[in-house]
Amino acid sequence: MPKWLRKSIVVMVTILTFGMVTPSQDFLHENQQSDKSPKKAIFADHQSENEIEEVEPYISKEAFISQMVKSAEQHSFDKFGMKIKPVIEEEFSEVILPNIEKAIEEVAVQYPQERLVNLKISETATAGLSERIFHIADETKNQDVIRFHVRRDNPPQQGHWFNFHYHTYYDQFQEHHNLGSIYWDKNTPPKWMS
């Protein structure tokens, strides 16, 4: 089969299915090799398309935790904005971020490895006075699993503090799980993302 015809067929299938069906890498690889060798069957095992098992992608718990911690740090810095970030960035990285990592590890332990790919950061940081930094949600169930927040506290005669905490699905988001607090100043801090 001429190369131009094969490419035309792939383009036509792509256009007709609007990207819903794409050729597998094996199919493309075998067709590239067919120019150099005798014709090969697409399904070497003599399996029909219905018999081929789909391979689910997976991620190791360590890779999942690392990826989530990176995203957590980025979402947090986005929320802090350019006025708050320079003041608390170092203490956040040393005190709060390791505690966020522990909380994410606890979630990862409760999920089977093959289901970790379903957990995604669902929310972006919110501006103003809102507490939400980000949430991690199970996309297959369309529900949050863990919610990371930061609250502004102003105890009498003690100045302003940022209290970092999280809520989990396992207690219906009722309990505050403390991650730590960072002192701001006696003056009121600016709004988030400013």
Side-chain angles (χ1 to χ4, degrees):
M1 178 181 293
K3 197 173 190 177
W4 66 269
L5 183 59
R6 251 193 327 245
K7 287 183 179 182
S8 299
I9 291 172
V10 170
V11 169
M12 285 179 41
V13 168
T14 303
I15 291 171
L16 291 174
T17 62
F18 294 97
M20 294 178 1
V21 177
T22 58
S24 70
Q25 292 298 326
D26 293 334
F27 174 80
L28 294 174
H29 182 67
E30 286 180 353
N31 278 332
Q32 287 173 349
Q33 289 181 348
S34 68
D35 291 337
K36 302 171 189 167
S37 62
K39 293 184 180 178
K40 293 183 179 180
I42 293 174
F43 304 106
D45 302 334
H46 303 293
Q47 292 178 326
S48 71
E49 289 183 38
N50 296 336
E51 293 173 331
I52 295 177
E53 295 180 24
E54 290 184 25
V55 178
E56 295 226 3
Y58 71 93
I59 185 171
S60 70
K61 290 192 189 234
E62 294 78 20
F64 169 78
I65 293 166
S66 174
Q67 181 183 37
M68 287 293 134
V69 170
K70 261 188 218 170
S71 291
E73 183 176 35
Q74 185 59 48
H75 277 76
S76 299
F77 289 158
D78 289 347
K79 181 165 182 79
F80 299 159
M82 296 313 295
K83 293 181 181 177
I84 296 175
K85 179 186 173 193
V87 178
I88 68 170
E89 178 178 11
E90 186 176 326
E91 192 171 355
F92 174 82
S93 295
E94 292 174 3
V95 178
I96 307 301
L97 197 57
N99 291 333
I100 289 175
E101 184 173 1
K102 287 177 189 172
I104 292 171
E105 284 175 8
E106 288 176 16
V107 168
V109 165
Q110 296 176 16
Y111 266 77
Q113 184 171 348
E114 63 274 4
R115 288 187 50 211
L116 287 177
V117 296
N118 299 330
L119 297 180
K120 305 286 184 213
I121 290 187
S122 65
E123 299 285 341
T124 57
T126 54
L129 300 174
S130 174
E131 290 188 8
R132 181 176 60 225
I133 303 173
F134 66 94
H135 298 173
I136 297 177
D138 185 332
E139 288 187 327
T140 58
K141 297 179 181 178
N142 199 23
Q143 69 183 20
D144 290 340
V145 176
I146 188 167
R147 298 174 178 169
F148 290 92
H149 293 167
V150 57
R151 182 180 63 226
R152 297 159 170 259
D153 288 339
N154 185 14
Q157 307 294 322
Q158 294 181 25
H160 294 271
W161 292 79
F162 297 128
N163 172 263
F164 294 87
H165 59 278
Y166 67 94
H167 308 275
T168 66
Y169 168 80
Y170 305 108
D171 61 11
Q172 284 70 45
F173 305 107
Q174 296 301 310
E175 189 174 333
H176 274 66
H177 302 273
N178 194 29
L179 294 168
S181 294
I182 297 177
Y183 178 71
W184 170 255
D185 196 336
K186 295 229 182 258
N187 296 323
T188 304
K191 292 183 177 181
W192 300 120
M193 301 179 91
S194 60

